[in-house]
């Protein structure tokens, strides 16, 4: 059994070619939920859904977001209505009072659906509405995710990191912005002063997550701040990682990031945006997989390979390097 920590596109890209190395029936994915938002009343869980759609054979791999070939009639109609009514588009973040009303799972993550700022496809929206309906019926987010996985024919166990709300909030000179607003609507352009994981002090991982963390853990080349950081904001999660073998794939080649805002966010949170900075952010990691061109000298075991993942064959190569790193750790049997 092996457990993957997933956020953004880094770990899903690794998983896309990992089946020959890590049997999906013997792997678990714990997905970041700090990026989740409630948009017009329905809960959108981007990092959970990317893995659901990947394993369900529906993921749009051109964007690594949403469902391949999805239509967008509802999304387009929402924008047409806003234009006709003279309503301002862009992220319409609800007031502080509204942020803590209603479903607790959505606290500090609530946006109006008026001219929705995220592109939500029609089939994709059905996933979010079903999830929200199950939550309203009294199911946990873990239970709702399991139901959706069954509906999509997913073999792998996919777990949200917590059934409690943790909101990734980016503090900028323009004010506090939810990560999705900062990254999707503002293109990650506002300068970052700090990043807050609101709710992380009170949230706890579920029993299912803690059980999954008893197995060897793999962290793909995900953003250490907003993809993995919300998980690490929970004390029990960090403690569990400290007592199990962990291998991480660096999202950097020395100081060059593969994609996304990891460099900017790491610098803003006081870490060097590099492989060395990633190692500093992950004191619980026992071994790293680095790119062959990455000469960073770490104080932990390293396996090197070409870590670019443009194809499934690339991902399988990186997965085999991860397998080697795990095997090299004392006491790990795969």
């Amino acid at each position: 059994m092996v457990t993957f920590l997933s956020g953004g596109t880094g770990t899903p890209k690794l998983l896309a070619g990992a089946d020959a190395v890590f049997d999906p029936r013997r792997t678990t994915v714990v997905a970041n939920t700090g990026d989740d938002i409630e948009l017009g009343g329905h809960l959108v869980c981007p990092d959970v859904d990317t893995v659901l759609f990947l394993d369900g054979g529906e993921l749009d791999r051109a964007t690594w977001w949403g469902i391949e070939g999805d239509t967008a009639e509802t999304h387009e109609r929402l924008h047409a209505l806003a234009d006709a009514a003279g309503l301002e588009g862009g992220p319409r973040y609800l007031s502080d009072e509204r942020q803590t009303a209603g479903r607790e799972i959505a606290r500090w993550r609530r946006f109006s659906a008026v001219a929705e700022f995220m592109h939500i496809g029609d089939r994709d929206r059905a996933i979010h509405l079903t999830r929200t309906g199950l939550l309203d019926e009294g199911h946990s987010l873990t239970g709702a995710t399991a139901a959706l996985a069954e509906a999509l024919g997913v073999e792998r166990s996919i777990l949200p990191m917590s059934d409690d709300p943790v909101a990734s909030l980016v503090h900028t000179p323009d004010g506090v912005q939810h990560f999705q607003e900062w990254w999707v609507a503002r293109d990650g352009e506002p300068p970052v002063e700090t990043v807050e994981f609101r709710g992380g002090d009170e949230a706890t991982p579920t029993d299912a997550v803690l059980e999954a963390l008893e197995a060897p853990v793999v962290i793909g080349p995900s953003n250490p701040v907003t993809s993995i950081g919300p998980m690490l904001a929970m004390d029990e999660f960090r403690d569990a990682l400290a007592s199990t073998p962990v291998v991480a794939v660096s999202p950097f080649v020395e100081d060059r990031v593969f994609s996304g805002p990891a460099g900017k966010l790491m610098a803003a949170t006081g870490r060097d945006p590099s492989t060395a900075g990633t190692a500093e952010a992950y004191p619980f990691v026992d071994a790293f997989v680095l790119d062959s061109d990455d000469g960073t000298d770490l104080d932990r075991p390293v396996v090197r390979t070409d870590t670019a993942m443009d194809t499934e064959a690339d991902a399988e190569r990186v997965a085999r390097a991860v397998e080697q790193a795990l095997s090299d750790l004392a006491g790990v049997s795969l």
Side-chain angles (χ1 to χ4, degrees), residues 114-150:
V114 173
E116 62 184 13
F117 74 98
M118 292 181 74
H119 183 282
I120 306 292
D122 297 318
R123 289 158 57 203
D124 191 6
R125 196 179 306 274
I127 295 288
H128 309 320
L129 290 171
T130 300
R131 173 190 295 118
T132 307
L134 290 170
L135 292 172
D136 286 344
E137 291 176 7
H139 294 265
S140 65
L141 182 57
T142 298
T145 301
L148 290 169
E150 181 177 1

PDB file of all heavy atoms in Angstrom, residues 114-150:
ATOM      1  N   VAL A 114     -22.949  34.957  -9.817  1.00  0.00           N
ATOM      2  CA  VAL A 114     -23.142  35.993 -10.826  1.00  0.00           C
ATOM      3  C   VAL A 114     -21.862  36.106 -11.669  1.00  0.00           C
ATOM      4  O   VAL A 114     -20.771  36.335 -11.135  1.00  0.00           O
ATOM      5  CB  VAL A 114     -23.485  37.348 -10.176  1.00  0.00           C
ATOM      6  CG1 VAL A 114     -23.518  38.450 -11.234  1.00  0.00           C
ATOM      7  CG2 VAL A 114     -24.824  37.268  -9.456  1.00  0.00           C
ATOM      8  N   ALA A 115     -22.001  35.903 -12.982  1.00  0.00           N
ATOM      9  CA  ALA A 115     -20.840  35.954 -13.885  1.00  0.00           C
ATOM     10  C   ALA A 115     -19.672  35.140 -13.321  1.00  0.00           C
ATOM     11  O   ALA A 115     -18.546  35.619 -13.236  1.00  0.00           O
ATOM     12  CB  ALA A 115     -20.418  37.389 -14.137  1.00  0.00           C
ATOM     13  N   GLU A 116     -19.943  33.910 -12.960  1.00  0.00           N
ATOM     14  CA  GLU A 116     -18.968  33.076 -12.245  1.00  0.00           C
ATOM     15  C   GLU A 116     -17.576  33.187 -12.867  1.00  0.00           C
ATOM     16  O   GLU A 116     -17.407  33.144 -14.082  1.00  0.00           O
ATOM     17  CB  GLU A 116     -19.430  31.626 -12.200  1.00  0.00           C
ATOM     18  CG  GLU A 116     -19.585  30.956 -13.558  1.00  0.00           C
ATOM     19  CD  GLU A 116     -20.127  29.543 -13.474  1.00  0.00           C
ATOM     20  OE1 GLU A 116     -20.622  29.148 -12.399  1.00  0.00           O
ATOM     21  OE2 GLU A 116     -20.052  28.833 -14.490  1.00  0.00           O
ATOM     22  N   PHE A 117     -16.579  33.335 -11.993  1.00  0.00           N
ATOM     23  CA  PHE A 117     -15.224  33.602 -12.469  1.00  0.00           C
ATOM     24  C   PHE A 117     -14.466  32.338 -12.839  1.00  0.00           C
ATOM     25  O   PHE A 117     -13.432  32.401 -13.510  1.00  0.00           O
ATOM     26  CB  PHE A 117     -14.434  34.392 -11.418  1.00  0.00           C
ATOM     27  CG  PHE A 117     -14.001  33.576 -10.221  1.00  0.00           C
ATOM     28  CD1 PHE A 117     -12.719  33.062 -10.144  1.00  0.00           C
ATOM     29  CD2 PHE A 117     -14.874  33.332  -9.167  1.00  0.00           C
ATOM     30  CE1 PHE A 117     -12.310  32.326  -9.040  1.00  0.00           C
ATOM     31  CE2 PHE A 117     -14.479  32.603  -8.059  1.00  0.00           C
ATOM     32  CZ  PHE A 117     -13.185  32.092  -7.996  1.00  0.00           C
ATOM     33  N   MET A 118     -14.948  31.176 -12.410  1.00  0.00           N
ATOM     34  CA  MET A 118     -14.334  29.910 -12.799  1.00  0.00           C
ATOM     35  C   MET A 118     -15.162  29.278 -13.904  1.00  0.00           C
ATOM     36  O   MET A 118     -16.395  29.326 -13.878  1.00  0.00           O
ATOM     37  CB  MET A 118     -14.245  28.957 -11.602  1.00  0.00           C
ATOM     38  CG  MET A 118     -13.289  29.408 -10.530  1.00  0.00           C
ATOM     39  SD  MET A 118     -13.187  28.226  -9.148  1.00  0.00           S
ATOM     40  CE  MET A 118     -12.238  26.906  -9.899  1.00  0.00           C
ATOM     41  N   HIS A 119     -14.483  28.701 -14.863  1.00  0.00           N
ATOM     42  CA  HIS A 119     -15.174  28.025 -15.957  1.00  0.00           C
ATOM     43  C   HIS A 119     -15.633  26.651 -15.467  1.00  0.00           C
ATOM     44  O   HIS A 119     -14.810  25.785 -15.176  1.00  0.00           O
ATOM     45  CB  HIS A 119     -14.247  27.882 -17.165  1.00  0.00           C
ATOM     46  CG  HIS A 119     -14.911  27.252 -18.349  1.00  0.00           C
ATOM     47  ND1 HIS A 119     -15.128  25.906 -18.461  1.00  0.00           N
ATOM     48  CD2 HIS A 119     -15.411  27.807 -19.486  1.00  0.00           C
ATOM     49  CE1 HIS A 119     -15.727  25.645 -19.599  1.00  0.00           C
ATOM     50  NE2 HIS A 119     -15.909  26.784 -20.244  1.00  0.00           N
ATOM     51  N   ILE A 120     -16.934  26.474 -15.356  1.00  0.00           N
ATOM     52  CA  ILE A 120     -17.501  25.207 -14.902  1.00  0.00           C
ATOM     53  C   ILE A 120     -18.304  24.607 -16.055  1.00  0.00           C
ATOM     54  O   ILE A 120     -19.298  25.188 -16.500  1.00  0.00           O
ATOM     55  CB  ILE A 120     -18.419  25.393 -13.677  1.00  0.00           C
ATOM     56  CG1 ILE A 120     -17.680  26.134 -12.560  1.00  0.00           C
ATOM     57  CG2 ILE A 120     -18.936  24.040 -13.197  1.00  0.00           C
ATOM     58  CD1 ILE A 120     -16.562  25.373 -11.909  1.00  0.00           C
ATOM     59  N   GLY A 121     -17.897  23.453 -16.539  1.00  0.00           N
ATOM     60  CA  GLY A 121     -18.621  22.777 -17.608  1.00  0.00           C
ATOM     61  C   GLY A 121     -19.927  22.200 -17.108  1.00  0.00           C
ATOM     62  O   GLY A 121     -20.155  22.058 -15.899  1.00  0.00           O
ATOM     63  N   ASP A 122     -20.803  21.813 -18.036  1.00  0.00           N
ATOM     64  CA  ASP A 122     -22.131  21.330 -17.659  1.00  0.00           C
ATOM     65  C   ASP A 122     -22.065  19.979 -16.951  1.00  0.00           C
ATOM     66  O   ASP A 122     -22.714  19.778 -15.919  1.00  0.00           O
ATOM     67  CB  ASP A 122     -23.023  21.243 -18.905  1.00  0.00           C
ATOM     68  CG  ASP A 122     -23.247  22.607 -19.534  1.00  0.00           C
ATOM     69  OD1 ASP A 122     -23.463  23.571 -18.776  1.00  0.00           O
ATOM     70  OD2 ASP A 122     -23.187  22.718 -20.771  1.00  0.00           O
ATOM     71  N   ARG A 123     -21.290  19.039 -17.485  1.00  0.00           N
ATOM     72  CA  ARG A 123     -21.157  17.732 -16.823  1.00  0.00           C
ATOM     73  C   ARG A 123     -20.372  17.871 -15.533  1.00  0.00           C
ATOM     74  O   ARG A 123     -20.655  17.186 -14.536  1.00  0.00           O
ATOM     75  CB  ARG A 123     -20.484  16.743 -17.769  1.00  0.00           C
ATOM     76  CG  ARG A 123     -21.378  16.315 -18.933  1.00  0.00           C
ATOM     77  CD  ARG A 123     -20.575  15.781 -20.107  1.00  0.00           C
ATOM     78  NE  ARG A 123     -19.724  14.661 -19.724  1.00  0.00           N
ATOM     79  CZ  ARG A 123     -18.634  14.297 -20.403  1.00  0.00           C
ATOM     80  NH1 ARG A 123     -18.254  14.993 -21.467  1.00  0.00           N
ATOM     81  NH2 ARG A 123     -17.926  13.259 -20.014  1.00  0.00           N
ATOM     82  N   ASP A 124     -19.405  18.754 -15.528  1.00  0.00           N
ATOM     83  CA  ASP A 124     -18.639  19.047 -14.321  1.00  0.00           C
ATOM     84  C   ASP A 124     -19.561  19.584 -13.231  1.00  0.00           C
ATOM     85  O   ASP A 124     -19.485  19.187 -12.053  1.00  0.00           O
ATOM     86  CB  ASP A 124     -17.557  20.075 -14.671  1.00  0.00           C
ATOM     87  CG  ASP A 124     -16.517  20.268 -13.581  1.00  0.00           C
ATOM     88  OD1 ASP A 124     -16.548  19.535 -12.583  1.00  0.00           O
ATOM     89  OD2 ASP A 124     -15.666  21.155 -13.732  1.00  0.00           O
ATOM     90  N   ARG A 125     -20.463  20.469 -13.611  1.00  0.00           N
ATOM     91  CA  ARG A 125     -21.392  21.066 -12.640  1.00  0.00           C
ATOM     92  C   ARG A 125     -22.274  19.995 -11.988  1.00  0.00           C
ATOM     93  O   ARG A 125     -22.629  20.099 -10.811  1.00  0.00           O
ATOM     94  CB  ARG A 125     -22.259  22.126 -13.330  1.00  0.00           C
ATOM     95  CG  ARG A 125     -22.984  23.068 -12.361  1.00  0.00           C
ATOM     96  CD  ARG A 125     -23.802  24.099 -13.129  1.00  0.00           C
ATOM     97  NE  ARG A 125     -23.014  24.831 -14.103  1.00  0.00           N
ATOM     98  CZ  ARG A 125     -22.314  25.926 -13.827  1.00  0.00           C
ATOM     99  NH1 ARG A 125     -22.315  26.423 -12.606  1.00  0.00           N
ATOM    100  NH2 ARG A 125     -21.620  26.539 -14.780  1.00  0.00           N
ATOM    101  N   ALA A 126     -22.614  18.976 -12.744  1.00  0.00           N
ATOM    102  CA  ALA A 126     -23.429  17.894 -12.181  1.00  0.00           C
ATOM    103  C   ALA A 126     -22.695  17.195 -11.037  1.00  0.00           C
ATOM    104  O   ALA A 126     -23.315  16.763 -10.054  1.00  0.00           O
ATOM    105  CB  ALA A 126     -23.796  16.893 -13.267  1.00  0.00           C
ATOM    106  N   ILE A 127     -21.366  17.097 -11.146  1.00  0.00           N
ATOM    107  CA  ILE A 127     -20.562  16.522 -10.065  1.00  0.00           C
ATOM    108  C   ILE A 127     -20.679  17.392  -8.815  1.00  0.00           C
ATOM    109  O   ILE A 127     -20.919  16.902  -7.700  1.00  0.00           O
ATOM    110  CB  ILE A 127     -19.083  16.412 -10.496  1.00  0.00           C
ATOM    111  CG1 ILE A 127     -18.911  15.431 -11.654  1.00  0.00           C
ATOM    112  CG2 ILE A 127     -18.196  16.044  -9.307  1.00  0.00           C
ATOM    113  CD1 ILE A 127     -19.082  13.986 -11.289  1.00  0.00           C
ATOM    114  N   HIS A 128     -20.527  18.703  -8.989  1.00  0.00           N
ATOM    115  CA  HIS A 128     -20.557  19.616  -7.845  1.00  0.00           C
ATOM    116  C   HIS A 128     -21.940  19.649  -7.194  1.00  0.00           C
ATOM    117  O   HIS A 128     -22.053  19.702  -5.957  1.00  0.00           O
ATOM    118  CB  HIS A 128     -20.155  21.025  -8.281  1.00  0.00           C
ATOM    119  CG  HIS A 128     -18.877  21.072  -9.059  1.00  0.00           C
ATOM    120  ND1 HIS A 128     -17.786  20.311  -8.730  1.00  0.00           N
ATOM    121  CD2 HIS A 128     -18.527  21.776 -10.169  1.00  0.00           C
ATOM    122  CE1 HIS A 128     -16.809  20.547  -9.594  1.00  0.00           C
ATOM    123  NE2 HIS A 128     -17.235  21.428 -10.469  1.00  0.00           N
ATOM    124  N   LEU A 129     -22.979  19.615  -8.010  1.00  0.00           N
ATOM    125  CA  LEU A 129     -24.335  19.634  -7.455  1.00  0.00           C
ATOM    126  C   LEU A 129     -24.640  18.349  -6.702  1.00  0.00           C
ATOM    127  O   LEU A 129     -25.282  18.370  -5.638  1.00  0.00           O
ATOM    128  CB  LEU A 129     -25.355  19.852  -8.580  1.00  0.00           C
ATOM    129  CG  LEU A 129     -25.351  21.248  -9.213  1.00  0.00           C
ATOM    130  CD1 LEU A 129     -26.235  21.281 -10.450  1.00  0.00           C
ATOM    131  CD2 LEU A 129     -25.814  22.293  -8.207  1.00  0.00           C
ATOM    132  N   THR A 130     -24.169  17.208  -7.236  1.00  0.00           N
ATOM    133  CA  THR A 130     -24.381  15.939  -6.536  1.00  0.00           C
ATOM    134  C   THR A 130     -23.639  15.929  -5.210  1.00  0.00           C
ATOM    135  O   THR A 130     -24.165  15.513  -4.171  1.00  0.00           O
ATOM    136  CB  THR A 130     -23.925  14.761  -7.417  1.00  0.00           C
ATOM    137  OG1 THR A 130     -24.684  14.756  -8.632  1.00  0.00           O
ATOM    138  CG2 THR A 130     -24.126  13.428  -6.702  1.00  0.00           C
ATOM    139  N   ARG A 131     -22.388  16.401  -5.246  1.00  0.00           N
ATOM    140  CA  ARG A 131     -21.604  16.479  -4.007  1.00  0.00           C
ATOM    141  C   ARG A 131     -22.321  17.340  -2.967  1.00  0.00           C
ATOM    142  O   ARG A 131     -22.462  16.946  -1.799  1.00  0.00           O
ATOM    143  CB  ARG A 131     -20.225  17.063  -4.313  1.00  0.00           C
ATOM    144  CG  ARG A 131     -19.389  17.351  -3.058  1.00  0.00           C
ATOM    145  CD  ARG A 131     -18.146  18.150  -3.390  1.00  0.00           C
ATOM    146  NE  ARG A 131     -17.239  17.401  -4.219  1.00  0.00           N
ATOM    147  CZ  ARG A 131     -16.849  17.733  -5.443  1.00  0.00           C
ATOM    148  NH1 ARG A 131     -17.312  18.857  -6.002  1.00  0.00           N
ATOM    149  NH2 ARG A 131     -16.008  16.996  -6.125  1.00  0.00           N
ATOM    150  N   THR A 132     -22.766  18.515  -3.388  1.00  0.00           N
ATOM    151  CA  THR A 132     -23.413  19.431  -2.450  1.00  0.00           C
ATOM    152  C   THR A 132     -24.730  18.855  -1.941  1.00  0.00           C
ATOM    153  O   THR A 132     -25.059  19.006  -0.761  1.00  0.00           O
ATOM    154  CB  THR A 132     -23.655  20.794  -3.132  1.00  0.00           C
ATOM    155  OG1 THR A 132     -22.412  21.257  -3.687  1.00  0.00           O
ATOM    156  CG2 THR A 132     -24.161  21.822  -2.139  1.00  0.00           C
ATOM    157  N   GLY A 133     -25.450  18.190  -2.815  1.00  0.00           N
ATOM    158  CA  GLY A 133     -26.686  17.555  -2.382  1.00  0.00           C
ATOM    159  C   GLY A 133     -26.440  16.489  -1.321  1.00  0.00           C
ATOM    160  O   GLY A 133     -27.188  16.382  -0.338  1.00  0.00           O
ATOM    161  N   LEU A 134     -25.389  15.694  -1.502  1.00  0.00           N
ATOM    162  CA  LEU A 134     -25.054  14.678  -0.502  1.00  0.00           C
ATOM    163  C   LEU A 134     -24.652  15.324   0.819  1.00  0.00           C
ATOM    164  O   LEU A 134     -25.024  14.831   1.904  1.00  0.00           O
ATOM    165  CB  LEU A 134     -23.931  13.783  -1.031  1.00  0.00           C
ATOM    166  CG  LEU A 134     -24.323  12.842  -2.174  1.00  0.00           C
ATOM    167  CD1 LEU A 134     -23.087  12.181  -2.778  1.00  0.00           C
ATOM    168  CD2 LEU A 134     -25.300  11.776  -1.680  1.00  0.00           C
ATOM    169  N   LEU A 135     -23.914  16.438   0.749  1.00  0.00           N
ATOM    170  CA  LEU A 135     -23.562  17.152   1.977  1.00  0.00           C
ATOM    171  C   LEU A 135     -24.819  17.653   2.680  1.00  0.00           C
ATOM    172  O   LEU A 135     -24.950  17.546   3.906  1.00  0.00           O
ATOM    173  CB  LEU A 135     -22.634  18.321   1.658  1.00  0.00           C
ATOM    174  CG  LEU A 135     -21.228  17.983   1.173  1.00  0.00           C
ATOM    175  CD1 LEU A 135     -20.503  19.240   0.707  1.00  0.00           C
ATOM    176  CD2 LEU A 135     -20.416  17.278   2.258  1.00  0.00           C
ATOM    177  N   ASP A 136     -25.772  18.187   1.911  1.00  0.00           N
ATOM    178  CA  ASP A 136     -27.014  18.689   2.497  1.00  0.00           C
ATOM    179  C   ASP A 136     -27.839  17.565   3.115  1.00  0.00           C
ATOM    180  O   ASP A 136     -28.606  17.791   4.054  1.00  0.00           O
ATOM    181  CB  ASP A 136     -27.849  19.410   1.433  1.00  0.00           C
ATOM    182  CG  ASP A 136     -27.273  20.777   1.071  1.00  0.00           C
ATOM    183  OD1 ASP A 136     -26.432  21.288   1.843  1.00  0.00           O
ATOM    184  OD2 ASP A 136     -27.665  21.326   0.023  1.00  0.00           O
ATOM    185  N   GLU A 137     -27.677  16.351   2.605  1.00  0.00           N
ATOM    186  CA  GLU A 137     -28.394  15.199   3.154  1.00  0.00           C
ATOM    187  C   GLU A 137     -27.725  14.649   4.404  1.00  0.00           C
ATOM    188  O   GLU A 137     -28.250  13.726   5.032  1.00  0.00           O
ATOM    189  CB  GLU A 137     -28.487  14.100   2.101  1.00  0.00           C
ATOM    190  CG  GLU A 137     -29.411  14.452   0.938  1.00  0.00           C
ATOM    191  CD  GLU A 137     -29.412  13.393  -0.146  1.00  0.00           C
ATOM    192  OE1 GLU A 137     -28.792  12.319   0.064  1.00  0.00           O
ATOM    193  OE2 GLU A 137     -30.023  13.623  -1.202  1.00  0.00           O
ATOM    194  N   GLY A 138     -26.546  15.193   4.750  1.00  0.00           N
ATOM    195  CA  GLY A 138     -25.874  14.763   5.970  1.00  0.00           C
ATOM    196  C   GLY A 138     -24.641  13.918   5.770  1.00  0.00           C
ATOM    197  O   GLY A 138     -24.008  13.504   6.743  1.00  0.00           O
ATOM    198  N   HIS A 139     -24.268  13.672   4.515  1.00  0.00           N
ATOM    199  CA  HIS A 139     -23.040  12.924   4.256  1.00  0.00           C
ATOM    200  C   HIS A 139     -21.826  13.810   4.518  1.00  0.00           C
ATOM    201  O   HIS A 139     -21.887  15.039   4.379  1.00  0.00           O
ATOM    202  CB  HIS A 139     -23.012  12.433   2.807  1.00  0.00           C
ATOM    203  CG  HIS A 139     -24.056  11.421   2.481  1.00  0.00           C
ATOM    204  ND1 HIS A 139     -23.830  10.065   2.529  1.00  0.00           N
ATOM    205  CD2 HIS A 139     -25.356  11.575   2.113  1.00  0.00           C
ATOM    206  CE1 HIS A 139     -24.934   9.419   2.190  1.00  0.00           C
ATOM    207  NE2 HIS A 139     -25.870  10.318   1.940  1.00  0.00           N
ATOM    208  N   SER A 140     -20.717  13.201   4.868  1.00  0.00           N
ATOM    209  CA  SER A 140     -19.459  13.937   4.995  1.00  0.00           C
ATOM    210  C   SER A 140     -18.866  14.148   3.604  1.00  0.00           C
ATOM    211  O   SER A 140     -19.278  13.501   2.620  1.00  0.00           O
ATOM    212  CB  SER A 140     -18.472  13.148   5.857  1.00  0.00           C
ATOM    213  OG  SER A 140     -18.108  11.933   5.206  1.00  0.00           O
ATOM    214  N   LEU A 141     -17.870  15.033   3.511  1.00  0.00           N
ATOM    215  CA  LEU A 141     -17.178  15.206   2.240  1.00  0.00           C
ATOM    216  C   LEU A 141     -16.489  13.916   1.830  1.00  0.00           C
ATOM    217  O   LEU A 141     -16.461  13.562   0.638  1.00  0.00           O
ATOM    218  CB  LEU A 141     -16.158  16.348   2.354  1.00  0.00           C
ATOM    219  CG  LEU A 141     -15.388  16.693   1.078  1.00  0.00           C
ATOM    220  CD1 LEU A 141     -16.334  17.050  -0.063  1.00  0.00           C
ATOM    221  CD2 LEU A 141     -14.396  17.828   1.341  1.00  0.00           C
ATOM    222  N   THR A 142     -15.958  13.178   2.799  1.00  0.00           N
ATOM    223  CA  THR A 142     -15.347  11.877   2.506  1.00  0.00           C
ATOM    224  C   THR A 142     -16.371  10.922   1.911  1.00  0.00           C
ATOM    225  O   THR A 142     -16.104  10.243   0.914  1.00  0.00           O
ATOM    226  CB  THR A 142     -14.738  11.278   3.785  1.00  0.00           C
ATOM    227  OG1 THR A 142     -13.702  12.141   4.266  1.00  0.00           O
ATOM    228  CG2 THR A 142     -14.166   9.898   3.522  1.00  0.00           C
ATOM    229  N   GLY A 143     -17.558  10.872   2.511  1.00  0.00           N
ATOM    230  CA  GLY A 143     -18.605   9.994   2.005  1.00  0.00           C
ATOM    231  C   GLY A 143     -19.091  10.404   0.628  1.00  0.00           C
ATOM    232  O   GLY A 143     -19.332   9.556  -0.246  1.00  0.00           O
ATOM    233  N   ALA A 144     -19.234  11.709   0.410  1.00  0.00           N
ATOM    234  CA  ALA A 144     -19.673  12.198  -0.893  1.00  0.00           C
ATOM    235  C   ALA A 144     -18.639  11.873  -1.965  1.00  0.00           C
ATOM    236  O   ALA A 144     -18.977  11.503  -3.095  1.00  0.00           O
ATOM    237  CB  ALA A 144     -19.919  13.702  -0.828  1.00  0.00           C
ATOM    238  N   THR A 145     -17.349  11.998  -1.624  1.00  0.00           N
ATOM    239  CA  THR A 145     -16.285  11.691  -2.574  1.00  0.00           C
ATOM    240  C   THR A 145     -16.302  10.214  -2.936  1.00  0.00           C
ATOM    241  O   THR A 145     -16.123   9.840  -4.101  1.00  0.00           O
ATOM    242  CB  THR A 145     -14.919  12.085  -1.985  1.00  0.00           C
ATOM    243  OG1 THR A 145     -14.927  13.481  -1.680  1.00  0.00           O
ATOM    244  CG2 THR A 145     -13.800  11.792  -2.964  1.00  0.00           C
ATOM    245  N   ALA A 146     -16.534   9.353  -1.949  1.00  0.00           N
ATOM    246  CA  ALA A 146     -16.601   7.910  -2.209  1.00  0.00           C
ATOM    247  C   ALA A 146     -17.760   7.578  -3.142  1.00  0.00           C
ATOM    248  O   ALA A 146     -17.637   6.731  -4.039  1.00  0.00           O
ATOM    249  CB  ALA A 146     -16.741   7.149  -0.892  1.00  0.00           C
ATOM    250  N   ALA A 147     -18.900   8.251  -2.957  1.00  0.00           N
ATOM    251  CA  ALA A 147     -20.057   8.009  -3.817  1.00  0.00           C
ATOM    252  C   ALA A 147     -19.761   8.424  -5.254  1.00  0.00           C
ATOM    253  O   ALA A 147     -20.109   7.712  -6.211  1.00  0.00           O
ATOM    254  CB  ALA A 147     -21.270   8.762  -3.281  1.00  0.00           C
ATOM    255  N   LEU A 148     -19.094   9.567  -5.422  1.00  0.00           N
ATOM    256  CA  LEU A 148     -18.751  10.032  -6.764  1.00  0.00           C
ATOM    257  C   LEU A 148     -17.720   9.106  -7.414  1.00  0.00           C
ATOM    258  O   LEU A 148     -17.790   8.840  -8.623  1.00  0.00           O
ATOM    259  CB  LEU A 148     -18.216  11.461  -6.704  1.00  0.00           C
ATOM    260  CG  LEU A 148     -19.254  12.532  -6.347  1.00  0.00           C
ATOM    261  CD1 LEU A 148     -18.569  13.860  -6.048  1.00  0.00           C
ATOM    262  CD2 LEU A 148     -20.275  12.697  -7.468  1.00  0.00           C
ATOM    263  N   ALA A 149     -16.777   8.624  -6.636  1.00  0.00           N
ATOM    264  CA  ALA A 149     -15.782   7.689  -7.164  1.00  0.00           C
ATOM    265  C   ALA A 149     -16.452   6.414  -7.660  1.00  0.00           C
ATOM    266  O   ALA A 149     -16.107   5.888  -8.734  1.00  0.00           O
ATOM    267  CB  ALA A 149     -14.739   7.363  -6.094  1.00  0.00           C
ATOM    268  N   GLU A 150     -17.420   5.933  -6.915  1.00  0.00           N
ATOM    269  CA  GLU A 150     -18.151   4.735  -7.343  1.00  0.00           C
ATOM    270  C   GLU A 150     -18.908   5.005  -8.639  1.00  0.00           C
ATOM    271  O   GLU A 150     -18.918   4.179  -9.562  1.00  0.00           O
ATOM    272  CB  GLU A 150     -19.111   4.290  -6.250  1.00  0.00           C
ATOM    273  CG  GLU A 150     -19.887   3.026  -6.604  1.00  0.00           C
ATOM    274  CD  GLU A 150     -20.788   2.534  -5.486  1.00  0.00           C
ATOM    275  OE1 GLU A 150     -20.829   3.195  -4.428  1.00  0.00           O
ATOM    276  OE2 GLU A 150     -21.445   1.501  -5.673  1.00  0.00           O
TER     277      GLU A 150
END
